[in-house]
Amino acid sequence: MLARIRKDIQVIFERDPAAKSVWEVVLCYPGFHAILLHRLNHWLYKKGWVVLARFLSQVVRFITGIEIHPGAKIGEGLFIDHGMGVVIGETAEVGDNVTIYQGVTLGGTGKEKGKRHPTIGNNVVVSSGARVLGSITIGDNVKIGAGSVVLKPVPPNCTVVGVPGRIVVQDGVSVRDRQLVDLEHNKLPDPVAEMIFCLQRKISHLEERIAQMEENHGESASVQHPQQGKGDVCSA
């Protein structure tokens, strides 16, 4: 237990440059508090003390703003940055070295029993306000952009952005070092903007073609009617 606590503290120093001392982490990081107390709640939940585990999880939510159902399975190296508004559902599974920012929901869909929350792989970054819903699997080394809504499974080494979430394949950008987590979630492609730029280029090309056709048409009309004035051509 002590070794795991030390690792949780070390993870914060590795991923948050604002962390200055161990005492600051222990006293002032709600994500650390929520993860630490979740392990106790999860142990109580597996032992059958469901009501007590649920009650303590609600106390943790009141104190930290982070709601983790005691039934959720959390791997090692989870870092919840700021954490206000984070919700992790009962059957959710979170892998190792995962980073979650504020306002993230790992939620379920429908009223079915059994597995209904997502499974998050290793080295995943879930950015602010993202929603991952349903019994889907998010592969290793995935980055989910801020405000994205992910409803379908995501293969490893991908980036997901938009509503609903769209996969952007990044050739040659896969995380080779499994212990190194890529936190640059501000450098994500925007497929909507790329499509708009593509349409703008096509419109510019069509305008050039139309102008060229009008110019050619005007020259041919002048050759066919040399005596016709400019005003007549315009009226025609």
Side-chain angles (χ1 to χ4, degrees):
M1 180 182 294
L2 293 178
R4 205 166 190 182
I5 292 174
R6 283 196 296 267
K7 184 173 182 179
D8 291 337
I9 295 174
Q10 183 61 35
V11 162
I12 294 174
F13 280 109
E14 291 175 355
R15 302 184 206 171
D16 188 3
K20 299 297 189 297
S21 67
V22 173
W23 281 113
E24 180 188 8
V25 171
V26 172
L27 297 175
C28 303
Y29 275 71
F32 173 75
H33 304 153
I35 295 170
L36 188 65
L37 293 173
H38 168 73
R39 295 203 179 102
L40 171 62
N41 296 335
H42 185 64
W43 182 83
L44 292 172
Y45 188 83
K46 290 194 301 182
K47 293 297 182 180
W49 296 79
V50 176
V51 177
L52 178 59
R54 287 282 288 154
F55 174 77
L56 292 177
S57 71
Q58 296 304 301
V59 173
V60 174
R61 184 185 70 165
F62 178 79
I63 296 172
T64 65
I66 300 170
E67 181 176 353
I68 306 177
H69 193 284
K73 298 178 181 179
I74 306 296
E76 296 185 359
L78 173 63
F79 175 44
I80 302 178
D81 194 8
H82 297 289
M84 181 61 69
V86 168
V87 177
I88 301 178
E90 177 188 11
T91 61
E93 299 178 32
V94 179
D96 297 333
N97 301 322
V98 173
T99 302
I100 295 177
Y101 290 87
Q102 65 270 19
V104 167
T105 299
L106 306 181
T109 56
K111 299 180 180 180
E112 69 276 7
K113 299 290 185 179
K115 177 67 172 171
R116 60 190 183 279
H117 296 90
T119 298
I120 309 297
N122 302 325
N123 306 318
V124 174
V125 177
V126 188
S127 303
S128 305
R131 306 287 188 264
V132 185
L133 305 177
S135 180
I136 60 177
T137 299
I138 307 300
D140 296 343
N141 312 315
V142 168
K143 289 199 294 185
I144 300 177
S148 301
V149 178
V150 183
L151 303 173
K152 296 180 180 179
V154 180
N157 306 316
C158 289
T159 298
V160 180
V161 295
V163 180
R166 292 178 292 275
I167 297 174
V168 180
V169 179
Q170 295 179 316
D171 296 330
V173 190
S174 61
V175 180
R176 295 181 181 179
D177 185 357
R178 300 296 179 178
Q179 300 301 322
L180 193 61
V181 181
D182 184 2
L183 298 179
E184 294 184 348
H185 59 102
N186 60 318
K187 298 180 180 179
L188 301 178
D190 188 345
V192 176
E194 291 176 1
M195 183 59 66
I196 292 175
F197 292 148
C198 180
L199 291 174
Q200 288 177 339
R201 288 194 295 268
K202 288 184 177 181
I203 291 172
S204 298
H205 178 69
L206 289 174
E207 289 177 343
E208 293 176 359
R209 291 288 303 275
I210 292 173
Q212 185 178 3
M213 292 174 63
E214 289 179 345
E215 183 179 352
N216 294 337
H217 178 72
E219 291 177 356
S220 63
S222 300
V223 172
Q224 293 177 3
H225 306 283
Q227 301 299 326
Q228 191 175 19
K230 184 175 180 180
D232 296 334
V233 172
C234 291
S235 61

